[in-house]
Amino acid sequence: FFLYPSYYREGIPRGILEALSMCLPIITTNLPGCNLTVQEGINGFLIDGRSSVAIIKAVKMILSRSDFENMGIESRKIAEQYFSEDIIFSEIENLYKI
């Protein structure tokens, strides 16, 4: 799994995008950008920022899941569906058309 407990508003972190593409379940904070990469309980968990208790709880939840590998597969699907080059480039192109 990939743990990214950021507490900064930084958009969508490249590290999370790379983890999604590598079929890893994600644990990250429920902040703008980071929260766009996780479907709660499907491919990972969102936690409160700056909480070691929340991190420990989420890690235990992921490691105890019998469908751990499926969570990673779901991460890859999210990467392909929302963050592929084709989709991002198309959105950028549409912005410039306006």
Side-chain angles (χ1 to χ4, degrees):
F1 66 91
F2 184 76
L3 174 63
Y4 196 88
S6 178
Y7 49 88
Y8 296 106
R9 302 179 123 227
E10 57 186 290
I12 301 171
R14 180 169 296 277
I16 295 178
L17 294 176
E18 291 174 359
L20 289 170
S21 73
M22 296 301 295
C23 298
L24 295 175
I26 308 295
I27 298 172
T28 191
T29 47
N30 192 9
L31 291 173
C34 291
N35 62 9
L36 295 174
T37 63
V38 173
Q39 293 176 0
E40 186 71 24
I42 305 296
N43 76 310
F45 297 101
L46 296 170
I47 58 173
D48 293 328
R50 300 181 190 222
S51 172
S52 59
V53 172
I55 291 171
I56 292 167
K57 181 179 175 185
V59 167
K60 286 180 178 180
M61 285 181 6
I62 277 195
L63 292 177
S64 70
R65 297 279 297 249
S66 61
D67 62 342
F68 180 85
E69 286 184 26
N70 290 336
M71 292 180 83
I73 291 167
E74 292 299 321
S75 284
R76 178 65 187 205
K77 288 178 185 176
I78 290 169
E80 291 173 354
Q81 185 175 3
Y82 298 107
F83 303 110
S84 73
E85 257 184 17
D86 293 336
I87 291 169
I88 300 302
F89 291 163
S90 175
E91 288 182 18
I92 292 170
E93 185 179 25
N94 288 334
L95 285 172
Y96 283 105
K97 284 182 182 177
I98 295 176

